[in-house]
Amino acid sequence: MASEDITKLAESLAKTKVGGGQLSFKGQSLKLNTAEDAEEVIKQIKEFDGLEALRLEGNTVGVEAAKVIAKALEKKSELKRCHWSDMFTGRLRSEIPPALISLGDALITAGAQLVELDLSDNAFGPDGVRGFEALLKSPACYTLQELKLNNCGMGIGGGKILAAALKECHRKSSAQGKPLALKIFVAGRNRLENDGATALAEAFGIIGTLEEVHMPQNGINHPGITALAQAFAINPLLKVINLNDNTFTEKGAVAMAETLKALRQIEVINFGDCLVRSKGAVAIADAVKEGLHKLKELNLSFCEIKRDAALTVAEAIEDKAELEKLDLNGNCLGEEGCEQLQEILEGFNMAAVLGSLSDDEGEEEDDEEEEEDEDEEEEEEEEEEQQQLKEREQESLTPKKIIDSQDSTPVPSPPVDVATFLAFPSPEKLLRLGPKCSVLIAQQTDTSDVEKVVTALLRISSVFKDEAPVKTAVHETTDALMRKAFTSATFNSDAFITSLLIHMGLLKSEEKIKAVPSLYGILMTLNHMVQQDYFPKSLAPVLSAFVTKPNRALDSCSFARHMLLQTLHQL
């Protein structure tokens, strides 16, 4: 370790805060790669008597450094709070699980009884959950009250591993007469989707002691929302529910409203940007009106709620004496509706609780309402089709034949063609196109038309999964399509990147173009694309500039965004 590095480390450690049983290295940007790098940190830990809280956030800890820090923690039995968010900046994903395993094993060896574990803002993915799985199942976490895993890129797989570990922890702790009594659970921005949320809902239902649940920006639709609602109903101490930026639709909103009727301690409801729509808003208003006397905040912003439904929500809060904020911004009230809303609240002497209405979308026409209903029907039909497809594929895995009365020929799976896949893309359909799927899609896409190329690329990337067969199929199909496009003399690369950014919601257009619902697939696909020889290097700075800009949709895919920016930086 160079002398100037030691000096810099010493200066950083001079800022270390000690007090109240807490040792903090927070935000010191320490680069701890080797055992030597971590010597001063280890010294501070060893010399600290009665260590109850250790803050390592805002530094970067490598595998070797984690091992020696862990060794120092093996004798810290009084440790209760691990503030370990954002402590693997710049690390490879493969480095994080072994580092977490070392630290977790040390806590188990020490006989620590944790109250809080915060691993937020560590982009470790599903494999990272394996890194602290043993810790969660151990006696060190039987006493856990707060678990914070915000923005970790866990995905569905990580969500399932986490749920299983929590259930096992509850089972083991219950056997010892002191069941796990988790109070606060935070897992926003993790791509949990329906399956991950449903798995966690099962764990929540078993635990039953939750007071706060924060799961914003997880791509959860109404099946996952309904599962969570059912679990929340058997957590009577719930005070805060934050599911911002998921997709309830009416079904999820109605299920959640029924649960709210059973909860008496609710103080904060954050369903902003959750597409509860008017019928869902009315159902939630009924729940609010019937009870929730401790309610302090109700957020139904950006939910496509129309005027009459919004006014119903306002009327429902009449006797909520503790209410501090009502957020209905970004809905479809129109100027007159906004005025009526304010008048209702003024009549209750509650005008001060209403948040800004500056982003109101204006009152929609009836024909747009019909389009909304059609959109919901199409969404439900597509979900039904996906479910039927899964059932058919599950049947094909069993050695069962459907026997006709006259012969024993098994019924074949319905064929899939390129048009069907592009119309209703799914990983299963892409794989069923066979080994020539990349060639077929490239052949049948008019690469002289930029819009058709962008549409095809977005459809292909939308089915991206970390699973090897699907990931390979997406990459190969993308390569075939984009190589054909970029090598064509008539293809306009600048027009392509402009159109793609518009469809991703990163660039405004004069035309009203609906952005793709999730950027995860296209970001991961672009991460592959930009590394290929066919991708024009001149487009990299443009792409980097727009992906770097603050954007809510990008924030919900922080792991994929980080991967792409890292790759672009290395080009």
Side-chain angles (χ1 to χ4, degrees), residues 460-471:
I460 294 163
S461 64
S462 70
V463 307
F464 179 90
K465 283 186 175 182
D466 288 323
E467 298 167 8
V470 177
K471 183 177 180 179

PDB file of all heavy atoms in Angstrom, residues 460-471:
ATOM      1  N   ILE A 460     -38.495  -8.013 -28.873  1.00  0.00           N
ATOM      2  CA  ILE A 460     -37.519  -9.074 -28.572  1.00  0.00           C
ATOM      3  C   ILE A 460     -36.946  -8.875 -27.166  1.00  0.00           C
ATOM      4  O   ILE A 460     -36.906  -9.793 -26.351  1.00  0.00           O
ATOM      5  CB  ILE A 460     -36.375  -9.081 -29.605  1.00  0.00           C
ATOM      6  CG1 ILE A 460     -36.901  -9.463 -30.990  1.00  0.00           C
ATOM      7  CG2 ILE A 460     -35.260 -10.048 -29.182  1.00  0.00           C
ATOM      8  CD1 ILE A 460     -35.949  -9.112 -32.131  1.00  0.00           C
ATOM      9  N   SER A 461     -36.507  -7.653 -26.887  1.00  0.00           N
ATOM     10  CA  SER A 461     -35.860  -7.379 -25.598  1.00  0.00           C
ATOM     11  C   SER A 461     -36.825  -7.467 -24.419  1.00  0.00           C
ATOM     12  O   SER A 461     -36.402  -7.692 -23.280  1.00  0.00           O
ATOM     13  CB  SER A 461     -35.202  -5.994 -25.622  1.00  0.00           C
ATOM     14  OG  SER A 461     -36.170  -4.973 -25.772  1.00  0.00           O
ATOM     15  N   SER A 462     -38.121  -7.306 -24.676  1.00  0.00           N
ATOM     16  CA  SER A 462     -39.102  -7.333 -23.583  1.00  0.00           C
ATOM     17  C   SER A 462     -39.182  -8.692 -22.897  1.00  0.00           C
ATOM     18  O   SER A 462     -39.660  -8.796 -21.773  1.00  0.00           O
ATOM     19  CB  SER A 462     -40.493  -6.946 -24.105  1.00  0.00           C
ATOM     20  OG  SER A 462     -41.023  -7.971 -24.933  1.00  0.00           O
ATOM     21  N   VAL A 463     -38.711  -9.752 -23.573  1.00  0.00           N
ATOM     22  CA  VAL A 463     -38.803 -11.091 -22.984  1.00  0.00           C
ATOM     23  C   VAL A 463     -37.481 -11.502 -22.325  1.00  0.00           C
ATOM     24  O   VAL A 463     -37.320 -12.644 -21.900  1.00  0.00           O
ATOM     25  CB  VAL A 463     -39.224 -12.144 -24.026  1.00  0.00           C
ATOM     26  CG1 VAL A 463     -40.504 -11.716 -24.725  1.00  0.00           C
ATOM     27  CG2 VAL A 463     -38.137 -12.403 -25.070  1.00  0.00           C
ATOM     28  N   PHE A 464     -36.527 -10.567 -22.254  1.00  0.00           N
ATOM     29  CA  PHE A 464     -35.209 -10.888 -21.700  1.00  0.00           C
ATOM     30  C   PHE A 464     -35.317 -11.429 -20.275  1.00  0.00           C
ATOM     31  O   PHE A 464     -36.056 -10.922 -19.453  1.00  0.00           O
ATOM     32  CB  PHE A 464     -34.316  -9.644 -21.688  1.00  0.00           C
ATOM     33  CG  PHE A 464     -32.943  -9.888 -21.110  1.00  0.00           C
ATOM     34  CD1 PHE A 464     -31.903 -10.287 -21.929  1.00  0.00           C
ATOM     35  CD2 PHE A 464     -32.710  -9.748 -19.753  1.00  0.00           C
ATOM     36  CE1 PHE A 464     -30.635 -10.527 -21.401  1.00  0.00           C
ATOM     37  CE2 PHE A 464     -31.450  -9.990 -19.209  1.00  0.00           C
ATOM     38  CZ  PHE A 464     -30.411 -10.380 -20.042  1.00  0.00           C
ATOM     39  N   LYS A 465     -34.577 -12.486 -20.023  1.00  0.00           N
ATOM     40  CA  LYS A 465     -34.449 -13.058 -18.679  1.00  0.00           C
ATOM     41  C   LYS A 465     -32.998 -13.436 -18.456  1.00  0.00           C
ATOM     42  O   LYS A 465     -32.266 -13.692 -19.403  1.00  0.00           O
ATOM     43  CB  LYS A 465     -35.322 -14.311 -18.522  1.00  0.00           C
ATOM     44  CG  LYS A 465     -36.799 -14.052 -18.321  1.00  0.00           C
ATOM     45  CD  LYS A 465     -37.516 -15.360 -18.028  1.00  0.00           C
ATOM     46  CE  LYS A 465     -38.989 -15.147 -17.703  1.00  0.00           C
ATOM     47  NZ  LYS A 465     -39.655 -16.426 -17.383  1.00  0.00           N
ATOM     48  N   ASP A 466     -32.603 -13.521 -17.194  1.00  0.00           N
ATOM     49  CA  ASP A 466     -31.232 -13.923 -16.877  1.00  0.00           C
ATOM     50  C   ASP A 466     -30.991 -15.408 -17.112  1.00  0.00           C
ATOM     51  O   ASP A 466     -29.866 -15.867 -17.075  1.00  0.00           O
ATOM     52  CB  ASP A 466     -30.896 -13.584 -15.415  1.00  0.00           C
ATOM     53  CG  ASP A 466     -30.726 -12.079 -15.224  1.00  0.00           C
ATOM     54  OD1 ASP A 466     -30.177 -11.434 -16.134  1.00  0.00           O
ATOM     55  OD2 ASP A 466     -31.148 -11.553 -14.186  1.00  0.00           O
ATOM     56  N   GLU A 467     -32.070 -16.169 -17.336  1.00  0.00           N
ATOM     57  CA  GLU A 467     -31.934 -17.605 -17.587  1.00  0.00           C
ATOM     58  C   GLU A 467     -31.231 -17.822 -18.926  1.00  0.00           C
ATOM     59  O   GLU A 467     -31.575 -17.194 -19.935  1.00  0.00           O
ATOM     60  CB  GLU A 467     -33.307 -18.268 -17.595  1.00  0.00           C
ATOM     61  CG  GLU A 467     -34.032 -18.139 -16.258  1.00  0.00           C
ATOM     62  CD  GLU A 467     -35.504 -18.503 -16.356  1.00  0.00           C
ATOM     63  OE1 GLU A 467     -35.921 -18.999 -17.425  1.00  0.00           O
ATOM     64  OE2 GLU A 467     -36.228 -18.283 -15.374  1.00  0.00           O
ATOM     65  N   ALA A 468     -30.278 -18.759 -18.943  1.00  0.00           N
ATOM     66  CA  ALA A 468     -29.398 -18.953 -20.099  1.00  0.00           C
ATOM     67  C   ALA A 468     -30.115 -19.142 -21.438  1.00  0.00           C
ATOM     68  O   ALA A 468     -29.788 -18.450 -22.411  1.00  0.00           O
ATOM     69  CB  ALA A 468     -28.451 -20.122 -19.835  1.00  0.00           C
ATOM     70  N   PRO A 469     -31.093 -20.055 -21.584  1.00  0.00           N
ATOM     71  CA  PRO A 469     -31.707 -20.269 -22.905  1.00  0.00           C
ATOM     72  C   PRO A 469     -32.372 -19.009 -23.456  1.00  0.00           C
ATOM     73  O   PRO A 469     -32.216 -18.681 -24.629  1.00  0.00           O
ATOM     74  CB  PRO A 469     -32.736 -21.379 -22.651  1.00  0.00           C
ATOM     75  CG  PRO A 469     -32.301 -22.031 -21.391  1.00  0.00           C
ATOM     76  CD  PRO A 469     -31.672 -20.960 -20.575  1.00  0.00           C
ATOM     77  N   VAL A 470     -33.122 -18.310 -22.599  1.00  0.00           N
ATOM     78  CA  VAL A 470     -33.833 -17.105 -23.042  1.00  0.00           C
ATOM     79  C   VAL A 470     -32.840 -15.988 -23.349  1.00  0.00           C
ATOM     80  O   VAL A 470     -32.941 -15.311 -24.382  1.00  0.00           O
ATOM     81  CB  VAL A 470     -34.843 -16.633 -21.966  1.00  0.00           C
ATOM     82  CG1 VAL A 470     -35.530 -15.343 -22.400  1.00  0.00           C
ATOM     83  CG2 VAL A 470     -35.872 -17.714 -21.699  1.00  0.00           C
ATOM     84  N   LYS A 471     -31.876 -15.800 -22.468  1.00  0.00           N
ATOM     85  CA  LYS A 471     -30.866 -14.759 -22.655  1.00  0.00           C
ATOM     86  C   LYS A 471     -30.122 -14.960 -23.972  1.00  0.00           C
ATOM     87  O   LYS A 471     -29.932 -14.016 -24.748  1.00  0.00           O
ATOM     88  CB  LYS A 471     -29.889 -14.805 -21.477  1.00  0.00           C
ATOM     89  CG  LYS A 471     -28.814 -13.737 -21.478  1.00  0.00           C
ATOM     90  CD  LYS A 471     -27.970 -13.878 -20.221  1.00  0.00           C
ATOM     91  CE  LYS A 471     -26.879 -12.826 -20.163  1.00  0.00           C
ATOM     92  NZ  LYS A 471     -26.070 -12.963 -18.927  1.00  0.00           N
TER      93      LYS A 471
END
